[in-house]
Amino acid sequence: MRKLAIFGASFLALTPQLSVAQEEQASTESPPEPEAGAPAAMSASAAGSARKGPERRLTGADLFDLSIAADPQISPDGRHIAYVRRANDIMSDRAVSSIWLIDTQTGEETPVAGRQGGAFSPRWSPDGKRLAFASTEGGSAQLWVRWMNGGEAVRLTGLPTSPSSIAWSPDGRSIAYTMLVKDEGPKFGAAPANKPEGAKWAEPLEIRDLLTYRADGEGYVEPGFEKIFLVPATGGSPRQLTFGPYHDTGPVSWSRDGRTLYFSANRRADWENDPVESEVYALDVTGGQVTQLTDRNGPDASPLVSPDGRLIAYVGFDDAGRAYENNNLYVMNRDGSGRRNLTENWDFSADAILWDGGSGGIYAQYDDHGETKVARIGLDGSVRDVAKGLSGGGLDRPYSGGSFSVSAAGAVAFTGGTPTRPAEVQLARGGSARMLTDLNRSLREVKALGEVRKITVASSHDGKPIEGWLTLPPGYTEGRKVPLILEIHGGPFAAYGPHFSTDNQLYAAAGYAVLSANPRGSTSYGEAFANEIDKAYPGNDYFDLISIVDRAVELGVADPDALFVTGGSGGGVLTSWIVGKTKRFKAAVTQKPVINWTTQALTADGPAFFGRYWLGAMPWEKPELFWARSPLSLVGNVETPTLVVVGAEDYRTPVSESEQYYTALRLRGVPTALVKVPGASHGGIAARPSQSAAKASAILAWFEKYKKGWTRPASGTSGTSPATPAN
């Protein structure tokens, strides 16, 4: 759990209604699960016959032919890996999720589920003979089990809402899961009772009483609470195990004797106002008694019982009210005693933990300088890397990320790719790794993609080292200066790295070099580096970004007279900040930005979070601070043509933020346009391939229009008359 990566590929659930995915962290801007009855993915390469030959550079149409691996689950004996294959479908314009099985000895792949609807979240039974998963086959998402010795797949449930956090009991007889239990919402007043037959009256009043009443990617929050359930693994009636007005969320973990389930939750009365707090609880499966095991101020989450049943591992941190904290890894006895921090002197954030088979250590995923790795952390605090090169934080931008699982003997299955190859399933044993899939071979064999190079620079602000990755145009020749796009990541507590990116490759195919930088505030460089922007964002990260642009110019790659800038979410914040600070860039595109911290804090889907943790106050307490950090405060300086892009259903950085900035630029007479992506949330702005391609195309068209910049007409310095590019 990264505490505060709110605007980027990964983010903490601001309320329990928003789930925190361990493997790909929702969010990542991953495509949504497909609708029921989704067809097998159809290729764009089969559409039309006008082509004379293969297009060697990546195009928007190629996005329909991309696939990515996710959630690899290795069987206990290490012989098989079940994984989710997400393939874009040109007919539905969505990613279609299916589950495939890999034989790790022969490399043979076979389909398991997903031919009649989306399938995801595969989880092995303890003996490895069955596979549980969720599927939309036949309707809404339900829990299924497949017998792997050639037997059938059986639907276990008929649930009103989707199951998550699937966990087998140690004896394989039961499966625990979490699910939203809906409640009646508040009701005040009513329309007149004498509605004539056949009359068409307006819809009833909508009444909300939750602090976070809407959530990005979910829409308006339905009243209810997440609860833990149990269902027999051979089918039968589910049984609700937890109750009460609070969210009991996953993941859940069984005791070795199958009598207790461990989970984390914020069961305090003020849970709505404390978006970070959670404790670890023990649930008696038979009697229903819930016992609190931890008690500090801060999150304690993801409890996991050791194979020998003696210890519970979990992650969390002390809540100091800062913008960012690393997750520490803890262990404690089953009764909550003997708590100790295994990573107190390890300056990385531990996520997605799994015990080793001997109960002597815990595997954890972490980011290091933009790259994602898996380490084994011993109970003595020793740390040893067991896998590197993980990827899968998304397709459109080069975020760190990925997911992994471990067999009883220590074989690590993970998703990993390269800067020019989306995430594949890989297997690491004994210090070496090999790729088991080749999901994009047909594209890889014909497409010339841009080379990616790492560059570093000392920040002009204080000399701190700043890293970035340059994606070069395909076929780039040394010494040739090309236009440069500075592409800034969101979060801001996230990181770019040497990972595949459709946006960057599309920009490179159009002749641009693309610079993906990690300014201060980025994760994976230690807690202190991330907290350089605590209560000071945006700020000195501006100097880091300008410094690394200067480095790209110095290297002879970037044309100093052809610089452009864009970024999404936190990157949109910094794009808007940059054009208020300098006129150096010919054109800019700010995507889903925060423009006004006061309106952001009061309209976004984290009202208990933004003011308290990012600015340390509420807008009415320190209005001058909120204004000083708002890009809107600098709009009077902007002379850079700036396109504004936002998802029409963005509740993380609400549409009103982008609309404010667009209107302000128009009032000032600065060239601008407002692009809304229909139906798109903040995290899903690039989820549909056609929209992802169209957005990248619009950005390139804007840069092309203003490739020589813009000069304000001499007739005035304000107004709303259309502006034209310089000749």
Side-chain angles (χ1 to χ4, degrees), residues 428-442:
R429 276 196 181 109
S432 61
R434 58 191 174 97
M435 283 193 182
L436 301 181
T437 59
D438 195 356
L439 301 182
N440 299 286
R441 184 180 63 182
S442 58

Side-chain angles (χ1 to χ4, degrees), residues 59 90 276 279 281 283 303 316 361 370 408 413 499 509 543 555 615-616 625:
T59 69
I90 196 171
V276 171
E279 306 294 352
Y281 291 89
L283 166 67
H499 311 292
F543 299 103
L555 289 171
L615 292 158
L625 172 62

Side-chain angles (χ1 to χ4, degrees), residues 467-709:
E467 293 183 344
W469 283 264
L470 266 175
T471 303
L472 302 172
Y476 174 78
T477 55
E478 295 299 330
R480 180 165 59 95
K481 295 180 180 180
V482 296
L484 178 80
I485 298 174
L486 171 63
E487 209 286 333
I488 311 169
H489 71 64
F493 303 105
Y496 278 159
H499 311 292
F500 180 79
S501 161
T502 55
D503 275 5
N504 286 9
Q505 290 294 342
L506 287 171
Y507 300 153
Y512 293 84
V514 188
L515 177 55
S516 303
N518 286 338
R520 69 192 64 215
S522 301
T523 53
S524 76
Y525 298 91
E527 197 169 78
F529 186 82
N531 274 310
E532 283 280 334
I533 62 171
D534 182 33
K535 314 302 184 291
Y537 168 72
N540 293 328
D541 35 8
Y542 165 81
F543 299 103
D544 303 339
L545 293 167
I546 296 301
S547 296
I548 203 163
V549 168
D550 288 339
R551 179 58 177 158
V553 171
E554 180 184 307
L555 289 171
V557 174
D559 182 346
D561 296 320
L563 302 177
F564 304 86
V565 59
T566 188
S569 196
V573 175
L574 283 166
T575 297
S576 306
W577 191 260
I578 283 171
V579 295
K581 290 281 189 179
T582 180
K583 300 177 179 62
R584 187 173 179 185
F585 295 89
K586 298 297 185 184
V589 180
T590 181
Q591 305 175 56
K592 49 185 181 178
V594 174
I595 295 302
N596 183 338
W597 280 110
T598 295
T599 51
Q600 168 71 17
L602 299 178
T603 62
D605 64 353
F609 182 81
F610 288 109
R612 176 180 173 186
Y613 286 96
W614 280 13
L615 292 158
M618 293 298 164
W620 52 90
E621 294 170 340
K622 294 184 178 180
E624 69 287 347
L625 172 62
F626 278 71
W627 181 247
R629 294 296 173 191
S630 297
L632 189 59
S633 70
L634 302 178
V635 75
N637 301 333
V638 178
E639 296 293 332
T640 304
T642 302
L643 186 70
V644 184
V645 180
V646 67
E649 296 179 11
D650 190 329
Y651 297 136
R652 182 59 44 79
T653 56
V655 178
S656 56
E657 293 297 306
S658 293
E659 290 172 334
Q660 287 180 71
Y661 199 55
Y662 164 73
T663 301
L665 292 170
R666 287 286 289 137
L667 289 170
R668 288 210 58 253
V670 176
T672 186
L674 177 64
V675 176
K676 288 186 180 180
V677 182
S681 65
H682 186 89
I685 196 170
R688 306 193 74 167
S690 71
Q691 291 181 334
S692 182
K695 182 172 71 74
S697 178
I699 290 169
L700 289 170
W702 186 259
F703 290 160
E704 179 64 23
K705 180 175 182 179
Y706 293 100
K707 62 184 177 182
K708 295 183 179 179

Side-chain angles (χ1 to χ4, degrees), residues 65-136:
D65 289 333
L66 289 174
S67 298
I68 190 170
D71 198 11
Q73 296 294 314
I74 193 166
S75 60
D77 63 3
R79 177 65 189 267
H80 295 96
I81 298 170
Y83 76 97
V84 175
R85 180 186 295 184
R86 293 177 180 159
N88 287 335
D89 171 43
I90 196 171
M91 299 305 292
S92 64
D93 194 19
R94 293 187 182 276
V96 177
S97 292
S98 56
I99 297 174
W100 287 69
L101 191 71
I102 305 172
D103 187 314
T104 60
Q105 293 184 9
T106 67
E108 181 183 0
E109 286 196 63
T110 54
V112 172
R115 282 170 287 187
Q116 301 298 322
F120 41 95
S121 300
R123 295 296 182 267
W124 290 98
S125 63
D127 60 7
K129 294 181 179 179
R130 289 167 291 169
L131 188 73
F133 59 92
S135 175
T136 61

